[in-house]
Amino acid sequence: MHSNVQVIGVLGGKGGTGKTTIALSIAYLLAKMKHDVVYIDADVDNPSSKVFMEQVEIVKELKAFIPSIDTRKCTGCSICVRNCPENALVAPPGRPPSLIAELCNGCTICKIVCPHDAVKEDYRIMGYIWRGKLKDLVVIGGEIVPGDERSPLVAHLLIDYVKDNVKNKILLVDCPPGAGSIISEVLNISNIVLVITEPTPMGIHDLKLVLDLNKRFKRQCIIVVNKVGEFDGWESFIREVWEIAKGLPFVYTLTMVPYDEVVHTAYSSGDLNKLMDEKRPFYRVINSLARLVEGVFND
Amino acid sequence: MVSGKGGVGKTLISSNFSIYLHENGFNVIALDADLEAPNLHLVLGGRVVREYVERGAKRAFIDRDKCIDCLACIATCQFKAIELIEGKPMVIDYLCEGCGACSLVCPREAIVLKDVEPGKLRIMETDYGFPLISGNLALGMRHTGKLVYRAKEMAEGLAKKDGVIVIDSAPGIGCPTIAAISGADLGIVVLEPSLASLQGCERVIKVLEHFKVPYLVILNKYKEEIMKRILDLLHRRGIKVEGMIPYDEHVYRAYVMGKPVIVKYPESPASRALVKLFREVIESAL
């Protein structure tokens, strides 16, 4: 990312810990504080920020190569069939091949190896980049076409689009759950990350995985334990998270967000006003987190 | 079990369904297909019987001595996995698909494809007398789909002629989820009462329909106060719910103890609803 852009990655490992709830709230507050911020939804399988907006506009179609066989030039040599790493081309001997579209990953090897220039470039849409607005906050996200497998590529193209088109100073990037390549990608471009977890055995198990992954990227982490107090006995989990975190040089701090039924309902129903109700403790905690992040950038 | 959105209850349903099937005489194999962040063993218990280091994923490697920086590889790579770093092309390991297109166009044969480890798979013994196939994707990497297909092969080996394989899929609708549902007899879509989950549900249904996998939808974590509103919304969106599990603190308590809720709290509202659902699925689908 450009050197004067600050990127806050938001990840967590376990699904459902509250990444989007917290990421969106912080971004919204930073925008309200007149920071030059944009929210990037990189959960291209299921971009949850969309549910907070009435509509979004598609700003880019993401096209992927698929081969189109020029039967006038094709000699039926089947070199493309043999070289396709996904076995997506099939041909009876001496006949032009046909494509099993589901298996094609768009690598272009068939076109590269064809000795007769008989493989033409066609394309299909594998995903989209969309843009919307949440009051003062601009939201840009990616979305894969259901049935396509190339989520990491769609997420990468989203990030490329952001690098080329988004000039804002602060980017808040929301990740999908997991600890795979999209998480690596976001860790790589981040200056600081919020690691959102919950006080449960699964939350802690998955937290360890993402912190392990961060050993490669060494980004400063703010660990956020969310939904504290939903159930009794959360104190022992906080202690456990602290034990995991305290030995790691890249953990900047650990903070807690209380469980709030009203906030949960607001998230569930996509109601931003209710989510950002200034009278609720959640708002105060998010405000502190936003100021903490602000402080890290000023350092 | 699939969902689109994470954290809605796939592991809850898969773990308890496996137990229920086993208790009712089925030859069950549990399979954790969420290999980026596997959780099934935390509920079912898992003593590792065998671990396999998988091979079979490929990645491009550029020989710096042969490379002349012509950048043909960067122009060719459809996965954006080769980047210019200080004027030199470098393969980004977590983006490389391993297709080999770059090595084909390199004028100096400076790029080779090597086998890399997509991750590890484990055959485990659960605490309940049936096996669990689990594992880990190599951290931060790709190729979860390949790993899931391999795990399914192992499960099919154990299932023989009469086995039931219960698959806890990854969240989302991408490669690992597609690998999990491909060829499945039934998909169970787990939904929670949130718009984000509803969006995920609709997206995963498109994938299930695309791959012609029959499915049913379960609503998890529902609360009485919002029931009518949720069911109205689902009806308007054309989604039929076949089973409903209430929000129940016993689920959390059982998780903390590392036990399935139908074993630890069989009389709880969630357990009763789960057992009713499982009975219905067995009758209609199995």
Side-chain angles (χ1 to χ4, degrees):
Chain A
M1 209 51 78
H2 310 293
S3 55
N4 61 343
V5 176
Q6 297 275 20
V7 181
I8 309 161
V10 184
L11 37 116
K14 172 99 185 54
T17 54
K19 285 180 295 308
T20 302
T21 312
I22 289 175
L24 210 49
S25 306
I26 291 176
Y28 176 80
L29 270 186
L30 287 172
K32 211 166 152 206
M33 284 150 68
K34 302 290 183 232
H35 283 286
D36 187 18
V37 61
V38 170
Y39 182 94
I40 310 292
D41 195 339
D43 186 357
V44 302
D45 281 8
N46 187 38
S48 333
S49 61
K50 269 180 118 182
V51 311
F52 286 86
M53 296 175 278
E54 284 294 328
Q55 71 208 28
V56 298
E57 54 158 349
I58 291 175
V59 296
K60 191 167 182 180
E61 288 177 335
L62 299 174
K63 295 179 178 164
F65 167 89
I66 50 169
S68 168
I69 309 296
D70 184 345
T71 48
R72 295 165 306 171
K73 291 186 176 173
C74 175
T75 64
C77 70
S78 284
I79 286 176
C80 59
V81 174
R82 287 198 294 278
N83 279 276
C84 174
E86 301 298 318
N87 299 310
L89 287 164
V90 290
R95 304 291 313 282
S98 26
L99 178 73
I100 307 172
E102 252 147 45
L103 297 178
C104 173
N105 70 1
C107 68
T108 72
I109 283 179
C110 49
K111 186 166 156 65
I112 292 168
V113 301
C114 176
H116 307 288
D117 189 34
V119 179
K120 299 299 172 204
E121 212 171 291
D122 198 356
Y123 72 87
R124 63 178 163 188
I125 312 273
M126 66 175 160
Y128 301 95
I129 297 175
W130 51 265
R131 189 193 152 100
K133 221 153 179 245
L134 253 172
K135 298 214 187 153
D136 297 322
L137 178 66
V138 171
V139 179
I140 299 177
E143 182 174 314
I144 194 167
V145 167
D148 203 294
E149 295 190 355
R150 293 170 280 200
S151 316
L153 180 55
V154 172
H156 182 89
L157 292 171
L158 167 67
I159 290 171
D160 268 357
Y161 175 88
V162 168
K163 280 181 186 166
D164 292 339
N165 296 281
V166 175
K167 306 298 173 203
N168 302 70
K169 296 228 177 51
I170 302 176
L171 305 179
L172 220 126
V173 185
D174 190 16
C175 284
S181 56
I182 298 180
I183 314 308
S184 289
E185 180 106 57
V186 175
L187 278 168
N188 188 43
I189 59 164
S190 294
N191 299 97
I192 176 174
V193 296
L194 299 175
V195 184
I196 319 286
T197 186
E198 61 183 31
T200 66
M202 293 184 186
I204 288 180
H205 174 275
D206 295 354
L207 170 69
K208 285 184 198 166
L209 290 173
V210 294
L211 290 177
D212 260 349
L213 178 56
N214 190 41
K215 286 176 182 168
R216 170 178 173 171
F217 299 95
K218 303 183 176 55
R219 303 303 179 215
Q220 284 291 297
C221 295
I222 297 175
I223 299 180
V224 181
V225 186
N226 191 26
K227 305 199 259 185
V228 169
E230 185 180 4
F231 304 108
D232 292 333
W234 53 268
E235 298 90 338
S236 62
F237 287 108
I238 302 293
R239 269 198 295 278
E240 223 182 308
V241 173
W242 179 237
E243 286 303 315
I244 295 164
K246 70 181 187 186
L248 298 170
F250 48 71
V251 175
Y252 186 75
T253 191
L254 187 157
T255 185
M256 298 186 278
V257 177
Y259 179 72
D260 185 340
E261 183 66 50
V262 172
V263 166
H264 182 82
T265 307
Y267 167 79
S268 298
S269 52
D271 186 340
L272 182 71
N273 288 324
K274 217 164 166 193
L275 188 69
M276 293 277 85
D277 180 349
E278 294 183 19
K279 296 187 296 295
R280 304 209 68 81
F282 179 77
Y283 183 91
R284 283 200 291 280
V285 174
I286 294 298
N287 204 14
S288 312
L289 258 175
R291 293 197 184 281
L292 180 64
V293 164
E294 219 187 359
V296 172
F297 287 153
N298 292 337
D299 285 343
Chain B
M1 279 72 200
V2 292
S3 68
K5 186 186 180 307
V8 302
K10 293 181 293 304
T11 302
L12 171 73
I13 309 243
S14 12
S15 56
N16 285 275
F17 194 28
S18 312
I19 302 265
Y20 185 81
L21 284 167
H22 180 73
E23 283 173 355
N24 282 271
F26 287 87
N27 170 21
V28 179
I29 298 99
L31 196 162
D32 195 336
D34 185 0
L35 295 172
E36 288 181 24
N39 285 159
L40 203 46
H41 64 288
L42 299 175
V43 190
L44 294 177
R47 267 175 318 285
V48 181
V49 171
R50 277 278 268 297
E51 185 169 274
Y52 299 86
V53 174
E54 288 303 311
R55 296 260 99 192
K58 293 198 181 295
R59 190 186 302 150
F61 289 83
I62 299 178
D63 184 342
R64 296 268 9 115
D65 295 329
K66 294 183 185 172
C67 174
I68 55 167
D69 301 328
C70 72
L71 309 187
C73 52
I74 294 186
T76 302
C77 179
Q78 299 294 310
F79 301 93
K80 310 285 184 181
I82 307 182
E83 277 178 18
L84 208 53
I85 296 175
E86 284 161 22
K88 302 190 174 308
M90 305 266 290
V91 176
I92 310 295
D93 55 357
Y94 52 82
L95 294 178
C96 177
E97 177 78 1
C99 68
C102 54
S103 72
L104 286 174
V105 301
C106 176
R108 287 288 184 272
E109 294 183 353
I111 307 183
V112 290
L113 278 190
K114 294 189 190 171
D115 279 348
V116 292
E117 181 191 310
K120 292 182 168 56
L121 289 176
R122 288 174 209 105
I123 298 183
M124 299 170 118
E125 257 306 309
T126 61
D127 293 339
Y128 303 93
F130 58 87
L132 162 65
I133 314 270
S134 181
N136 284 95
L137 178 75
L139 216 50
M141 292 293 146
R142 292 171 62 115
H143 304 298
T144 4
K146 282 196 168 66
L147 214 50
V148 171
Y149 282 121
R150 264 304 287 142
K152 283 168 77 174
E153 274 172 31
M154 285 184 185
E156 274 155 14
L158 294 176
K160 302 204 175 65
K161 288 208 174 67
D162 63 349
V164 179
I165 304 173
V166 178
I167 304 180
D168 187 9
S169 171
I173 59 168
C175 182
T177 305
I178 289 172
I181 67 169
S182 163
D185 298 294
L186 178 67
I188 297 181
V189 182
V190 186
L191 173 64
E192 73 169 18
S194 72
L195 288 179
S197 177
L198 181 54
Q199 180 183 267
C201 172
E202 288 173 329
R203 287 169 66 72
V204 83
I205 283 175
K206 286 194 179 130
V207 180
L208 288 161
E209 288 176 352
H210 180 82
F211 288 94
K212 300 190 175 28
V213 175
Y215 64 89
L216 50 93
V217 179
I218 309 297
L219 177 65
N220 187 29
K221 301 199 244 178
Y222 78 81
K223 295 184 179 175
E224 282 303 331
E225 315 89 77
I226 52 151
M227 268 305 279
K228 184 161 187 320
R229 241 189 315 141
I230 291 291
L231 291 178
D232 277 346
L233 178 59
L234 290 171
H235 181 76
R236 277 201 304 268
R237 302 273 271 256
I239 294 174
K240 181 166 178 289
V241 166
E242 306 274 351
M244 299 197 290
I245 318 292
Y247 178 90
D248 184 350
E249 187 169 325
H250 293 95
V251 168
Y252 168 80
R253 285 200 233 144
Y255 270 155
V256 167
M257 287 175 219
K259 297 256 176 279
V261 70
I262 65 171
V263 169
K264 188 74 195 164
Y265 300 110
E267 300 306 314
S268 65
S271 294
R272 286 180 195 275
L274 284 166
V275 165
K276 176 167 178 285
L277 166 69
F278 298 153
R279 233 191 342 257
E280 282 163 9
V281 172
I282 289 179
E283 267 158 35
S284 61
L286 296 175

